[in-house]
Amino acid sequence: MEKGEDFRWQTEQFGDVKILRYQVPMFEHLPLQEKLFVYYLSQAALAGRDILWDQNNCYNLALRRVLEKVVTKYPGNRDTDDFRAFLLYAKQVFFANGVHHHYSMDKFRPVFSPAYWQELLRAVGEEKDEYLERLLFEPDYMAKRVLLDEGKDLITGSANNYYSGVTQREVEQFYQKRLGQERQPVSVGLNSTLVKVNGEIREEVWKVGGKYGKQLARIVFWLEKAIPYACNAQQAKAMRLLVDYYKTGDLKLFDAYSIEWLKDTESSIDFINGFIEVYGDALAYKASWESVVEIVDEEACQRTRKLAEHALWFEQHAPVADCFKKTEVKGITARVMQVAMLGGDCHPATPIGINLPNAEWIREQYGSKSVTLDNITYAYDKAAAASGVLDEFAWDEEEVRLAREYGSLGSNVHTDLHECLGHGSGKMLPGVTTEALRNYYSTIEEARADLFALYYIMDPKLVELGVIPSLDVAKAEYNSYIRNALLVQLTRIKPGCQLEEAHMRNRQAIAAWAYEKGKAAQVIERVVRDGKTYFVVRDYEALRELFGDLLREVQRMKSEGDYEAARCWVETYGVKIDNALHQEVLARYAKLGVAPYAGFINPEYHPVIEKGQIVDIRISYPDDFLTQMLEYGTRTRE
Ligand code: ZN
């Protein structure tokens, strides 16, 4: 097996993505019981893949079946520009779990002709399909997976598959009726497709025996295999609730599961498996299916433990109005983990930190659990070390030096603060729910967590706690945040387009707002040298103050459910892009030849069987993305 420096972190690059691998060094040291637990959980993590594909678009699974068939069976000449164009398209679709880009949400455009597509279909014995043809070659047909444009119908304009036959107005009316004033409201609409049949609007619930029943039954099968190996009774209890929830679709059981899952803070192996994040739905009701299996990295946990221990101090000293502060901070568990398997909406592209649950009342009453995914960040750093992006967009040698010395610690601590304290902080006013902010909720919530992290990373308290060695780490993080938000992240956007994705919007909104508010005092300076634009932080302390002011306001928007203020702030600072600057950034970036997005090939786990018993689980690190995608396809096929 490849070890240490010989390990190939990046295997290939196509379109705008690079394919990386991560290692799970801790796995090999686990006792057999725990290896078995990881193994069964990882099978459960892979079993829900088709749910996500179908959620992303109603034709995705049909298209994938054809793509897989052509890739494996096409008997014709593969050494042609046409076939290479086909293969690029197929890989892009596999990477995005569907026909829309995983991040920009725009539909991929094949660069081969409809005639060639038909030739491929004929060659593998497939019928011509009118809908797939439109999907591939009609640019305006299902153009955007999630539409967030103000003033348009966000439901009929989105090509995702969470709704059928209903308008935005109908969806809002349907769910507003159900919101109620309960103190412990379930997450209405989270696990169902909303359809209109014969004029009647109803939910098709995702459960065993219901919609996505086959896939959920498979997930349940693996979870039930895993339960006997759970790390402790608490974890087993939580898992049984998850199984019951998947069997019934009862959202009260999902909340009960989330609470028991939260209480389990001791397990050395943990996981996420469920309908979790709502970014894929413009109205943030419907959750995509995802899974992550993680092994605790005890040594690295020291850092997050210190933050969690002082959570109340951070809450009390936050620059927000007292009425929006928690008076006690419940059970923050922040741990550093090694990912053992990624599935559903966390694969191939993955987050580097996760904080759950999302239900606001559970967070307030029971706290939250957050993880920093260490081996993923490590793989990113290894692969990025030589990319040249830093040198291109950093203003001077000092900025480069700070980044090289403290950049990766700064970004890890930012993630810790964002996940462990940021999302968990603050409270809602009585009667206000997160639904009040509608399509701006995700952006506001991410902004809030980012601002919390930005404000506190510059606090001497972090040095005092030993989380960072000096405030230079914070300076490196400020530079990097501004550089990324106002320049580097634009490389992910096509010319003429605007920002759509919640995290990108919140980053630009924060940085652009701070730039404008600090303009008179030259807090951040915009400088042009040799035709290249730079944003240079001139006054770190003043910038910290600005972040604090904005945190106060963003917390107020969330706590009061001030839709109008949220809309205004996001639309003013977080959506539009300066066209000339965008062109410049794209040109500078193109010269570097680096793909702006990355995703991962998962490891594989192989049971070693002797006399009918599993005596060991071996891990291996496959190195071909397409092979893994095809193998996953065979797993979930009927
Ligand atoms: Zn977040």
Side-chain angles (χ1 to χ4, degrees):
M1 189 185 299
E2 301 161 273
K3 292 272 185 201
E5 294 309 308
D6 295 335
F7 192 76
R8 202 148 60 94
W9 297 98
Q10 179 171 337
T11 63
E12 67 178 307
Q13 188 167 308
F14 55 82
D16 58 0
V17 300
K18 49 188 171 232
I19 300 295
L20 312 180
R21 303 191 294 169
Y22 61 92
Q23 288 185 319
V24 200
M26 298 195 64
F27 180 79
E28 285 162 66
H29 305 293
L30 298 178
L32 179 60
Q33 296 284 310
E34 294 183 7
K35 281 184 174 176
L36 284 165
F37 191 46
V38 169
Y39 173 67
Y40 290 128
L41 289 174
S42 68
Q43 300 310 299
L46 296 176
R49 182 171 177 248
D50 287 3
I51 298 177
L52 177 74
W53 278 71
D54 189 70
Q55 288 177 319
N56 282 345
N57 183 267
C58 61
Y59 300 118
N60 274 340
L61 286 172
L63 175 66
R64 194 184 81 197
R65 193 187 56 77
V66 176
L67 295 179
E68 287 168 347
K69 197 167 176 186
V70 174
V71 172
T72 49
K73 301 231 157 77
Y74 180 61
N77 187 0
R78 292 177 175 231
D79 192 16
T80 66
D81 285 347
D82 271 338
F83 194 79
R84 277 186 284 274
F86 163 77
L87 216 49
L88 167 65
Y89 180 76
K91 284 183 186 178
Q92 286 180 313
V93 172
F94 286 130
F95 187 92
N97 295 296
V99 290
H100 300 94
H101 191 278
H102 73 289
Y103 213 85
S104 74
M105 312 280 182
D106 292 324
K107 200 167 71 169
F108 294 117
R109 294 195 183 176
V111 285
F112 50 88
S113 68
Y116 184 69
W117 173 243
Q118 280 155 27
E119 185 187 320
L120 292 173
L121 293 189
R122 266 196 306 276
V124 297
E126 278 290 320
E127 301 278 313
K128 194 177 155 182
D129 182 312
E130 190 193 328
Y131 287 103
L132 290 190
E133 189 125 349
R134 290 187 70 191
L135 193 66
L136 263 72
F137 298 108
E138 233 178 80
D140 294 336
Y141 180 63
M142 298 195 159
K144 198 105 204 165
R145 176 150 68 83
V146 187
L147 186 77
L148 295 171
D149 292 2
E150 211 191 356
K152 295 192 182 149
D153 188 309
L154 304 182
I155 295 301
T156 57
S158 294
N160 59 27
N161 193 23
Y162 293 121
Y163 302 94
S164 173
V166 287
T167 63
Q168 180 176 351
R169 235 184 106 71
E170 286 171 324
V171 174
E172 284 170 349
Q173 281 172 347
F174 185 87
Y175 285 120
Q176 264 151 28
K177 261 188 289 182
R178 302 191 167 203
L179 284 180
Q181 296 300 313
E182 294 158 62
R183 286 187 43 237
Q184 303 184 343
V186 297
S187 307
V188 290
L190 190 77
N191 66 334
S192 64
T193 310
L194 194 68
V195 299
K196 192 182 201 174
V197 185
N198 300 326
E200 185 208 350
I201 298 175
R202 60 184 171 80
E203 287 187 319
E204 288 177 351
V205 177
W206 308 334
K207 60 177 185 179
V208 176
K211 181 144 176 141
Y212 302 138
K214 277 181 201 151
Q215 292 84 354
L216 289 166
R218 219 177 266 133
I219 295 167
V220 164
F221 170 83
W222 289 113
L223 288 176
E224 284 179 335
K225 286 242 180 210
I227 288 174
Y229 299 98
C231 298
N232 52 52
Q234 178 61 35
Q235 189 173 40
K237 183 181 178 189
M239 291 178 73
R240 281 190 292 268
L241 280 166
L242 178 61
V243 166
D244 290 346
Y245 160 62
Y246 277 151
K247 286 181 176 171
T248 60
D250 181 353
L251 284 168
K252 279 210 161 30
L253 283 173
F254 178 57
D255 286 347
Y257 154 71
S258 299
I259 291 164
E260 297 306 324
W261 173 81
L262 263 179
K263 287 183 191 162
D264 168 31
T265 56
E266 300 296 317
S267 297
S268 55
I269 292 155
D270 206 349
F271 70 96
I272 292 161
N273 186 307
F275 301 106
I276 309 289
E277 301 294 353
V278 293
Y279 304 113
D281 173 10
L283 294 182
Y285 288 112
K286 312 289 172 194
S288 60
W289 189 86
E290 69 175 42
S291 184
V292 181
V293 182
E294 315 139 356
I295 305 169
V296 175
D297 187 340
E298 266 308 325
E299 250 181 67
C301 280
Q302 301 301 336
R303 195 176 68 215
T304 50
R305 198 167 290 134
K306 275 184 203 148
L307 294 178
E309 277 167 12
H310 293 82
L312 187 59
W313 186 91
F314 288 103
E315 182 77 7
Q316 284 168 345
H317 291 77
V320 308
D322 285 340
C323 56
F324 307 139
K325 281 182 189 172
K326 288 191 173 119
T327 44
E328 52 176 333
V329 176
K330 293 249 167 64
I332 288 185
T333 314
R335 297 196 291 178
V336 181
M337 314 292 258
Q338 284 187 357
V339 168
M341 186 59 76
L342 301 165
D345 216 1
C346 291
H347 185 252
T350 173
I352 52 172
I354 303 174
N355 177 286
L356 292 173
N358 285 328
E360 205 61 38
W361 72 268
I362 300 180
R363 303 171 75 86
E364 283 178 19
Q365 288 180 33
Y366 297 92
S368 64
K369 200 148 96 174
S370 93
V371 292
T372 302
L373 306 176
D374 227 11
N375 56 338
I376 297 295
T377 318
Y378 187 73
Y380 275 128
D381 283 349
K382 284 284 177 188
S387 76
V389 175
L390 173 63
D391 299 272
E392 177 60 40
F393 293 97
W395 166 244
D396 60 7
E397 273 176 28
E398 175 63 4
E399 189 175 332
V400 172
R401 185 192 69 79
L402 279 173
R404 289 210 193 283
E405 202 162 341
Y406 300 115
S408 104
L409 179 60
S411 96
N412 276 330
V413 172
H414 178 104
T415 305
D416 295 340
L417 287 165
H418 173 114
E419 299 295 345
C420 148
L421 299 176
H423 279 305
S425 73
K427 68 173 182 193
M428 309 293 286
L429 285 188
V432 179
T433 65
T434 55
E435 278 84 4
L437 297 180
R438 309 218 299 263
N439 46 319
Y440 297 104
Y441 172 71
S442 299
T443 303
I444 292 296
E445 178 56 18
E446 291 311 318
R448 204 177 63 85
D450 263 2
L451 286 163
F452 202 94
L454 290 165
Y455 180 76
Y456 274 121
I457 200 167
M458 189 60 90
D459 197 306
K461 181 82 177 176
L462 289 204
V463 181
E464 185 190 306
L465 290 175
V467 172
I468 54 175
S470 79
L471 292 181
D472 279 354
V473 178
K475 289 181 181 171
E477 177 57 20
Y478 277 22
N479 293 339
S480 138
Y481 196 89
I482 298 298
R483 194 170 64 233
N484 182 49
L486 297 178
L487 297 170
V488 181
Q489 76 165 359
L490 299 182
T491 59
R492 298 177 162 200
I493 304 296
K494 289 209 186 79
C497 294
Q498 300 192 328
L499 297 179
E500 304 279 348
E501 199 272 338
H503 296 79
M504 295 185 78
R505 283 184 165 190
N506 98 67
R507 285 183 211 125
Q508 178 175 299
I510 289 172
W513 181 94
Y515 169 68
E516 190 183 293
K517 296 292 159 187
K519 212 168 185 175
Q522 289 229 330
V523 177
I524 302 169
E525 197 185 348
R526 180 177 173 154
V527 197
V528 179
R529 181 179 60 200
D530 303 333
K532 294 177 177 180
T533 306
Y534 301 86
F535 287 90
V536 193
V537 180
R538 297 291 188 200
D539 187 341
Y540 293 96
E541 261 310 309
L543 184 53
R544 178 176 189 232
E545 290 303 310
L546 287 172
F547 288 148
D549 293 346
L550 187 55
L551 174 58
R552 186 180 178 88
E553 171 60 5
V554 166
Q555 179 66 56
R556 186 199 64 76
M557 293 177 196
K558 180 184 175 186
S559 294
E560 293 180 355
D562 189 342
Y563 175 82
E564 198 41 43
R567 187 196 65 78
C568 182
W569 180 69
V570 175
E571 292 292 334
T572 308
Y573 298 102
V575 178
K576 291 174 220 93
I577 304 173
D578 171 345
N579 266 326
L581 180 62
H582 191 196
Q583 296 290 353
E584 177 203 315
V585 167
L586 289 175
R588 287 162 71 184
Y589 196 72
K591 283 193 189 144
L592 303 172
V594 188
Y597 300 97
F600 290 87
I601 299 176
N602 274 320
E604 270 167 21
Y605 296 93
H606 315 270
V608 181
I609 297 168
E610 279 174 18
K611 297 187 189 127
Q613 294 279 321
I614 300 181
V615 294
D616 195 10
I617 306 281
R618 298 230 171 94
I619 186 170
S620 69
Y621 299 102
D623 61 2
D624 187 65
F625 174 69
L626 197 53
T627 306
Q628 179 157 85
M629 291 292 104
L630 294 172
E631 198 267 323
Y632 284 0
T634 62
R635 277 167 180 254
T636 53
R637 200 172 297 151
E638 293 313 311

